[in-house]
Amino acid sequence: MTHSSRGLGLQDHTEVLHRISERLAERFTGVFAAETVERYVFESYTALARTATITTYLPATTEHFAADRLTALATSKGISVSEAPEVLFVCVQNAGRSQMAAALLTVESKGSIRVRSAGSMPAAEVDPNVVTVMSEMGLDLTRNYPKPLTDDVVRASDVVITMGCGDSCPIYPGKHYEDWDLPDPAGESLDRIRGIRDAIHERVKALTTSLLEKDQSPA
């Protein structure tokens, strides 16, 4: 039997969330106080639970999401210095365009660019048709999940690429912003989504070249 997010609440996962907080507090020892880590874990759970239809994987996705947000927070505060450029893709639902772009950039950059994605109004799951067309390229998005846009990941990013989410992304000085005007794959045919995927891929290739050349240029 599965439980909806309405049927299984925060109180049911409190003990699990405390264990996650302890693991992450140990991981971020000397970087963040245990209270900060715990607050991020509980906030992350609440944010993900708003759109989750199945809560089975919520603790695991919460741990991943909270860890990524804490890493981003450390970067934005200058506590942790990342040599790799950091790119954030933002679309409305984080279920299609931004997920495809993030997966493609991760592959194209061979891990030399730190990639994140988020949604201004995240969906419950990644679009199954998007998962299908990405699997045709050998990219597995079945474990990906839509994430809400948070201030910490924007602050940690060098490049923020919006994809149809309008003015919902906060603007900070010193960051490079681009808007990729591409159709939303939601409700489209597989052929149409393949076209969107390929258009994103071309832009990602150009972005990869640009960022890595800039990163390797002498200061």
Side-chain angles (χ1 to χ4, degrees), residues 3 26 48 78 204:
H3 296 270
E26 185 174 343
L48 293 173
V204 162

Side-chain angles (χ1 to χ4, degrees), residues 87-92 96-106 108 113 115-117 159-166 176-185 196-211:
V87 176
L88 172 66
F89 292 102
V90 185
C91 67
V92 177
R97 290 165 292 186
S98 56
Q99 291 280 359
M100 288 193 282
L104 289 165
L105 181 56
T106 299
E108 288 295 331
I113 295 173
V115 188
R116 295 183 176 93
S117 69
V159 179
V160 179
I161 296 176
T162 56
M163 311 170 86
C165 62
H176 177 72
Y177 290 85
E178 291 183 24
D179 184 63
W180 290 3
D181 186 14
L182 294 161
D184 187 348
I196 297 169
R197 175 200 65 193
D198 294 344
I200 292 173
H201 199 184
E202 289 305 309
R203 295 193 187 213
V204 162
K205 288 176 183 176
L207 177 66
T208 304
T209 301
S210 170
L211 287 176

Side-chain angles (χ1 to χ4, degrees), residues 31-58:
V31 180
F32 296 117
E35 293 80 7
T36 300
V37 173
E38 183 171 270
R39 176 168 58 83
Y40 262 65
V41 168
F42 277 77
E43 283 180 357
S44 296
Y45 174 90
T46 302
L48 293 173
R50 286 193 190 106
T51 55
T53 53
I54 304 295
T55 62
T56 308
Y57 306 110
L58 257 180

Side-chain angles (χ1 to χ4, degrees), residues 14-42:
T14 299
E15 188 177 333
V16 175
L17 295 176
H18 281 305
R19 289 201 296 271
I20 291 171
S21 300
E22 289 169 4
R23 283 198 295 271
L24 291 182
E26 185 174 343
R27 176 174 164 184
F28 286 94
T29 298
V31 180
F32 296 117
E35 293 80 7
T36 300
V37 173
E38 183 171 270
R39 176 168 58 83
Y40 262 65
V41 168
F42 277 77

Side-chain angles (χ1 to χ4, degrees), residues 129-193:
N129 285 338
V130 166
V131 174
T132 297
V133 301
M134 294 302 283
S135 70
E136 295 170 354
M137 298 181 67
L139 299 178
D140 183 6
L141 267 59
T142 57
R143 294 186 180 181
N144 290 29
Y145 59 96
K147 298 166 289 295
L149 180 65
T150 57
D151 186 74
D152 35 62
V153 297
V154 179
R155 286 183 182 275
S157 302
D158 301 301
V159 179
V160 179
I161 296 176
T162 56
M163 311 170 86
C165 62
D167 298 325
S168 62
C169 190
I171 304 296
Y172 295 109
K175 302 187 185 305
H176 177 72
Y177 290 85
E178 291 183 24
D179 184 63
W180 290 3
D181 186 14
L182 294 161
D184 187 348
E188 298 288 352
S189 67
L190 287 175
D191 278 343
R192 178 71 169 147
I193 297 173

